[in-house]
Amino acid sequence: MPTGSAYHLTCYFSNWAQYRPGLGRFTPDNIDPCLCTHLIYAFARMSNNEITTIEWNDVKSFNGLKNKNRKLKTLLAIGGWNFGTLLSVSFKFTTMYGFDGLDYDWEYPGSRGSPPQDKNLFTVLVKETHEAFEQEAKQTNSPRLLVTAAVAAGVSTIQSGYDIPQLSRYLDFIHVMTYDFHGSWEVYTGENSPLYKNPSDTGGNAYLNVDYAMNYWKNNGAPAEKLIVGFPAYGHNFILRNPSQHDIGAPTSGPGPAGTYTREAGFLAYYEICPFLKNGVTQVWEASEDVPYAYKGNEWVGYDNPKGFQIKADWLKKNNFGGAMVWAIDLDDFTGTFCNQGKYPLISTLKKALGLDSATQSIPPSTSAPSRGGSGSSGGSNSGGSRFCADKAHGLYPVASNSNAFWHCVNSKTYKQNDQAGLVFDTSYQRCNWA
């Protein structure tokens, strides 16, 4: 078990899930605030050295979940698959609107058109972020914001993109994306997130499994307690070239049909896989990899289920890794209507397996949770003798005489912070905004 602390259960929320139809639509209001120890809002982008998201109202609701669970931490993820240029570190780190940290999701430094020097520049970015957060914490006498990253699990991508020992010095947690090892971009069937290699795996395919990827990070300089194992709440489906050939490695002719809700060929949320399994499908437990797959006619899907999550969680604990990360909370059966396994069957399995049933604490709706705040400020200072926050709940408040400033109340202490030039404090959204 990680020294001195419980395991972490980090869950990503994809902000485009709100646009899915019917029962697939997912907003922050659907999130159980006591399910995960850390929630990550994905994704924000950079525009003119400022953080932007799709829906700021979602951000407000997302961070409002901390009013219901005093132990919950939230982070803002910057990046995504299309993120391919180095972020400028000149943005003001306190423009984070109540988040407890920043998660870098650069896929990937040194790959996909990113030049080789970005391997070093990514380390510089993480180091400078960490140092800026430390400085901001000292100035405001508040907890330091967390710095985390979602990183590759493929060996060649790791080698091209990460200085593992140096990154490990400045990252609080390293979220290893141990999924998408196989998918419909290949011409044969393969599991999305196998725990171990298949006996038929040769060459580079022998590295495409959770066990190898996590141990590669650990053996090359990352502390086990900082390494967070990725768990997918989705699977990949394929069209079999010949329905009579349906084992691992069977030839395929393309991606399987898109799901009703996620609407992406070759990709199915767990709640979309469950109905498929009920329709006369042959289900197979692949013992060598400790994950299941299923097929019917010419459609084949490799996925994870509660049994596989339990086995991976036991393996995680045995190897002393820091916890689990799930992509994504909105892909589990969050309504409990598709799988007949209750709400959030995959993530609930992890929570129980990691001994986190008592690691969250609910708060009555009328009580404000003490949490790490933030806003669009360019800096802050303790107001010393000011008693403005003495009777105020944790949060941000306008300064009556100065629209370019706001009060930041933390544990009844008062800090006055200033907006960047051209911005004013927007009381509607509790953040800095254009005038």
Side-chain angles (χ1 to χ4, degrees):
M1 184 173 180
T3 305
S5 66
Y7 293 103
H8 293 271
L9 177 51
T10 298
C11 300
Y12 279 88
F13 159 68
S14 58
N15 58 3
W16 56 91
Q18 64 187 299
Y19 302 115
R20 291 178 185 143
L23 289 173
R25 184 174 186 268
F26 190 100
T27 72
D29 293 334
N30 292 107
I31 297 174
D32 177 351
C34 297
L35 188 62
C36 310
T37 63
H38 295 69
L39 287 172
I40 301 182
Y41 183 99
F43 288 103
R45 305 293 182 187
M46 294 299 298
S47 177
N48 297 321
N49 292 334
E50 294 294 332
I51 296 174
T52 63
T53 71
I54 295 176
E55 301 285 355
W56 277 114
N57 216 32
D58 275 359
V59 171
K60 187 176 180 181
S61 299
F62 186 81
N63 283 318
L65 295 167
K66 291 187 286 186
N67 292 327
K68 300 176 182 178
N69 175 9
R70 69 175 72 251
K71 295 182 180 180
L72 179 65
K73 299 295 183 184
T74 62
L75 293 91
L76 179 64
I78 295 184
W81 177 252
N82 294 319
F83 177 59
T85 58
L86 184 68
L87 289 174
S88 168
V89 295
S90 63
F91 68 87
K92 306 301 181 182
F93 295 104
T94 48
T95 60
M96 297 183 69
Y97 306 90
F99 288 96
D100 298 294
L102 187 66
D103 180 63
Y104 282 121
D105 286 49
W106 184 353
E107 303 180 19
Y108 299 98
S111 301
R112 299 183 66 244
S114 171
Q117 59 264 33
D118 279 352
K119 177 177 181 177
N120 177 63
L121 291 176
F122 183 58
T123 303
V124 172
L125 172 65
V126 170
K127 177 177 181 289
E128 292 190 2
T129 303
H130 181 99
E131 292 172 346
F133 284 173
E134 281 192 331
Q135 183 63 30
E136 191 259 356
K138 291 177 182 177
Q139 290 176 351
T140 61
N141 193 31
S142 57
R144 176 179 63 78
L145 292 166
L146 299 170
V147 188
T148 66
V151 299
V155 173
S156 62
T157 309
I158 296 171
Q159 293 171 342
S160 299
Y162 312 111
D163 183 334
I164 294 178
Q166 286 299 310
L167 273 181
S168 300
R169 292 180 58 187
Y170 303 108
L171 288 172
D172 293 293
F173 304 111
I174 302 169
H175 302 127
V176 187
M177 294 183 282
T178 43
Y179 36 75
D180 294 335
F181 285 116
H182 297 285
S184 56
W185 52 87
E186 297 172 329
V187 295
Y188 50 87
T189 59
E191 290 283 6
N192 181 32
S193 182
L195 179 55
Y196 304 108
K197 82 179 190 72
N198 190 283
S200 65
D201 286 336
T202 58
N205 277 0
Y207 309 144
L208 299 179
N209 57 80
V210 178
D211 179 74
Y212 188 92
M214 294 304 302
N215 281 297
Y216 186 91
W217 274 92
K218 182 174 70 174
N219 295 337
N220 283 276
E225 64 271 16
K226 286 190 175 186
L227 288 168
I228 309 298
V229 184
F231 286 70
Y234 66 92
H236 287 300
N237 60 343
F238 306 74
I239 296 298
L240 294 169
R241 193 176 302 168
N242 181 348
S244 65
Q245 293 180 285
H246 40 65
D247 294 335
I248 298 288
T252 60
S253 58
T260 302
Y261 304 99
T262 54
R263 298 178 291 187
E264 179 184 342
F267 179 98
L268 294 174
Y270 183 62
Y271 64 80
E272 293 172 317
I273 293 171
C274 288
F276 175 75
L277 299 178
K278 298 174 183 177
N279 296 322
V281 169
T282 301
Q283 300 180 47
V284 179
W285 180 260
E286 181 52 56
S288 66
E289 300 178 336
D290 273 335
V291 280
Y293 67 86
Y295 60 90
K296 180 183 181 181
N298 67 349
E299 186 175 354
W300 191 101
V301 59
Y303 61 103
D304 281 77
N305 62 7
K307 177 182 177 180
F309 267 38
Q310 179 68 52
I311 291 172
K312 284 180 182 174
D314 292 341
W315 170 89
L316 178 162
K317 293 187 291 184
K318 181 180 178 181
N319 285 275
N320 298 312
F321 291 117
M325 170 270 281
V326 178
W327 182 275
I329 192 170
D330 45 87
L331 298 173
D332 200 352
D333 185 15
F334 60 91
T335 64
T337 60
F338 293 93
C339 301
N340 297 324
Q341 298 167 343
K343 291 185 177 181
Y344 294 106
L346 295 178
I347 301 173
S348 295
T349 297
L350 282 179
K351 181 180 179 182
K352 183 177 181 180
L354 297 178
L356 296 172
D357 285 337
S358 60
T360 57
Q361 183 173 354
S362 297
I363 301 173
S366 60
T367 306
S368 293
S371 61
R372 175 61 170 84
S375 185
S377 73
S378 58
S381 61
N382 193 326
S383 61
S386 173
R387 300 287 298 164
F388 179 85
C389 293
D391 58 349
K392 298 287 192 303
H394 173 91
L396 310 177
Y397 300 85
V399 175
S401 59
N402 184 358
S403 63
N404 187 245
F406 57 92
W407 301 111
H408 184 184
C409 297
V410 181
N411 297 328
S412 298
K413 294 182 180 180
T414 304
Y415 304 94
K416 185 178 181 181
Q417 296 186 301
N418 296 313
D419 296 305
Q420 297 180 52
L423 301 182
V424 297
F425 185 70
D426 187 332
T427 56
S428 298
Y429 292 95
Q430 293 290 291
R431 68 178 182 92
C432 298
N433 209 340
W434 297 108

